């Protein structure tokens, strides 16, 4: 089994929001999350919108900007040179200089959040080189840049374009190229294809998959779309209302989902040739300011028991890399 290169222990955090400038409320988006990312694997983070996936990604990447707060927990990263760094003990400046782009990159949902609309694509890449004091002459930078763009099926002319002159799919590929510039060991992709059409989505996912297979880097892929996980992941972690409720090898999870929430997500997938009408999961994820007691899924769960409404379910390890957080499996502990 590949070794862990990113270890998250009991991460807890969310957003501190002031209502009317006075009353402080805490949106508890990530609740006691422990998870690992292995060398050269694709780990998917699945779940509906609003279940804490993007907040978890930001916490791992160190993009902690108020109102986001990390209340407790630790994140350890094994760097390329064999050192172990506790990420949440680094200052934001240290994270920027030593971790971002070099060890870990982030692909956001929307490329316009990353690209400066007033700068040509090549200048945006050159800025990243300058920021990291990379010793390369300009011709070498341009060659490297064209190579990386071509690996994402982008023509060399793109380097002279402004972001608004490119289609949404091309801009997203430019952002992916930026994130892969220094061949980072870990890439966190947060819904990287949500803003593009279905055809572009498949092209981008294939390119990411090809890059990962060649580079042997690790990918943490956040998506609400279970078909994306079926196509991309080695392991998948399912998140609901801030909790990781199930983790396992992607084939095992799709073949036999254990947690009722995972089952509902997989059952709602449209299958080739199957014309039966899919029933979506009834209800909405809970309000994370006041999440329900016990199991946070109990108001929507068809198997809910009395204990589910009172007590938080235990995390049950079922061997073979499988973990589930549900009272239905408590006797198997
Ligand atoms: Fe359903 Fe209870 Fe399991 Fe929660 S703990 S998913 S309510 S059976």
């Amino acid at each position: 089994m590949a070794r862990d290169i990113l270890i998250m222990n009991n991460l807890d955090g969310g957003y501190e929001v002031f209502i009317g400038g006075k009353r402080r409320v805490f949106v508890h988006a990530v609740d006691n999350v422990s998870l690992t990312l292995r060398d050269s694997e694709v780990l998917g983070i699945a779940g509906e919108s609003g279940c804490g996936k993007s907040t978890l990604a930001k916490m791992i990447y160190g993009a902690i900007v108020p109102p986001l707060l990390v209340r407790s927990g630790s994140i350890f990263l094994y760097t390329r040179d064999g050192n172990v760094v506790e990420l949440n003990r680094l200052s934001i400046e240290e994270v920027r200089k030593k971790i971002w782009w070099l060890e870990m990159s982030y692909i956001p949902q929307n490329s316009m959040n990353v690209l400066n609309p007033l700068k040509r694509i090549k200048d945006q890449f050159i800025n990243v080189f300058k920021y990291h004091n990379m010793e390369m002459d300009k011709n070498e930078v341009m060659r490297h840049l064209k190579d990386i763009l071509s690996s994402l099926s982008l023509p060399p002319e793109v380097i002279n374009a402004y972001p608004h002159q490119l289609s949404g799919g091309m801009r997203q590929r430019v952002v992916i190229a930026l994130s892969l510039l220094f061949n980072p060991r870990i890439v966190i992709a947060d819904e990287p294809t949500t803003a593009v059409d279905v055809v572009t989505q498949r092209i981008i996912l294939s390119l990411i998959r090809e890059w990962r297979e060649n580079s042997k880097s690790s990918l943490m892929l956040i998506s609400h779309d279970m078909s994306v996980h079926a196509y991309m992941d080695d392991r998948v972690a399912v998140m609901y209302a801030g909790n990781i409720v199930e983790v396992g090898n992607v084939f095992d999870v799709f073949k036999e989902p254990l947690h009722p929430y995972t089952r509902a997500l997989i059952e709602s997938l449209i299958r080739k040739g199957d014309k039966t009408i899919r029933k979506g999961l009834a209800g909405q994820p809970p309000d994370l300011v006041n999440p329900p007691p016990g199991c946070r899924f109990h108001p929507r769960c068809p198997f809910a028991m009395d204990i589910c409404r009172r007590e938080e379910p235990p995390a049950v390890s079922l061997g073979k890399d499988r973990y589930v957080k549900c009272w239905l499996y408590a006797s198997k502990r």
Side-chain angles (χ1 to χ4, degrees):
M1 189 190 290
R3 74 185 180 104
D4 297 335
I5 57 169
L6 188 71
I7 301 168
M8 296 144 254
N9 293 320
N10 311 104
L11 272 183
D12 203 282
Y15 301 92
E16 191 178 41
V17 185
F18 289 87
I19 297 175
K22 282 186 188 156
R23 195 165 75 87
R24 175 190 168 279
V25 293
F26 189 70
V27 183
H28 201 173
V30 171
D31 178 25
N32 199 20
V33 166
S34 295
L35 200 59
T36 60
L37 176 69
R38 297 176 186 154
D39 203 8
S40 302
E41 81 163 346
V42 181
L43 173 68
I45 311 286
E48 294 158 293
S49 299
C51 67
K53 307 183 300 297
S54 295
T55 308
L56 176 64
K58 285 182 190 143
M59 286 166 74
I60 297 167
Y61 192 54
I64 317 291
V65 181
L68 176 60
L69 273 183
V70 179
R71 296 209 297 197
S72 57
S74 56
I75 308 168
F76 292 96
L77 169 74
Y78 286 80
T79 60
R80 286 171 190 281
D81 53 14
N83 292 322
V84 186
V85 180
E86 189 172 351
L87 288 178
N88 41 346
R89 289 196 182 269
L90 300 182
S91 67
I92 186 75
E93 210 35 52
E94 286 173 309
V95 171
R96 280 202 181 117
K97 282 274 180 202
K98 297 180 184 164
I99 305 296
W100 287 1
W101 278 294
L102 305 173
E103 298 284 348
M104 205 189 304
S105 276
Y106 183 71
I107 305 173
Q109 288 182 29
N110 187 345
S111 51
M112 286 315 270
N113 291 343
V114 175
L115 299 174
N116 182 335
L118 303 176
K119 283 191 187 293
R120 290 180 195 276
I121 299 301
K122 67 177 173 194
D123 295 325
Q124 318 220 15
F125 278 82
I126 288 168
N127 280 352
V128 179
F129 271 95
K130 280 189 189 152
Y131 187 81
H132 287 286
N133 297 322
M134 291 288 170
E135 304 263 331
M136 256 191 188
D137 76 37
K138 214 167 171 181
N139 291 335
E140 223 178 315
V141 171
M142 283 304 133
R143 238 190 339 269
H144 182 53
L145 190 48
K146 283 178 185 166
D147 283 351
I148 203 159
L149 291 174
S150 133
S151 73
L152 290 164
S153 301
L154 286 166
E157 305 82 74
V158 160
I159 60 170
N160 290 315
Y162 287 95
H164 71 270
Q165 295 174 310
L166 304 175
S167 68
M170 285 173 107
R171 277 200 303 267
Q172 194 64 0
R173 276 183 278 164
V174 167
V175 170
I176 294 170
L178 251 181
S179 71
L180 307 183
L181 193 58
F182 302 130
N183 202 19
R185 203 149 178 235
I186 297 172
V187 172
I188 301 174
D190 187 0
E191 304 272 7
T193 54
T194 299
V196 295
D197 60 80
V198 179
V199 177
T200 312
Q201 179 181 67
R202 194 36 77 114
I203 294 169
I204 290 178
L205 290 176
S206 305
L207 290 167
I208 295 178
R209 200 156 103 152
E210 198 180 307
W211 156 77
R212 208 215 55 82
E213 279 164 9
N214 293 333
S215 68
K216 303 283 178 241
S217 297
S218 302
L219 174 66
M220 185 178 278
L221 178 63
I222 289 151
S223 178
H224 66 281
D225 185 340
M226 290 305 277
S227 67
V228 168
H229 292 295
Y231 178 60
M232 297 287 287
D233 299 354
D234 296 313
R235 277 192 308 146
V236 61
V238 181
M239 211 169 167
Y240 184 77
N243 293 142
I244 299 287
V245 296
E246 181 162 2
V247 184
N249 173 290
V250 75
F251 294 108
D252 297 339
V253 171
F254 275 78
K255 191 168 155 220
E256 191 191 359
L258 299 176
H259 195 280
Y261 180 59
T262 316
R263 268 185 241 167
L265 291 178
I266 291 175
E267 278 166 13
S268 65
L269 274 178
I270 296 164
R271 287 176 176 78
K272 216 173 165 182
D274 183 353
K275 296 207 171 73
T276 52
I277 294 170
R278 302 273 147 201
K279 275 194 262 157
L281 184 60
Q284 299 289 327
D287 170 10
L288 293 177
V289 174
N290 287 306
C295 171
R296 290 181 171 194
F297 187 58
H298 85 249
R300 302 172 80 187
C301 180
F303 305 98
M305 305 168 277
D306 281 347
I307 193 169
C308 306
R309 297 179 186 94
R310 288 193 318 266
E311 289 180 42
E312 190 178 334
V316 182
S317 170
L318 296 169
K320 257 193 83 199
D321 242 1
R322 201 71 182 275
Y323 155 102
V324 63
K325 188 176 165 75
C326 173
W327 279 112
L328 292 175
Y329 304 90
S331 62
K332 301 203 160 86
R333 272 186 291 176

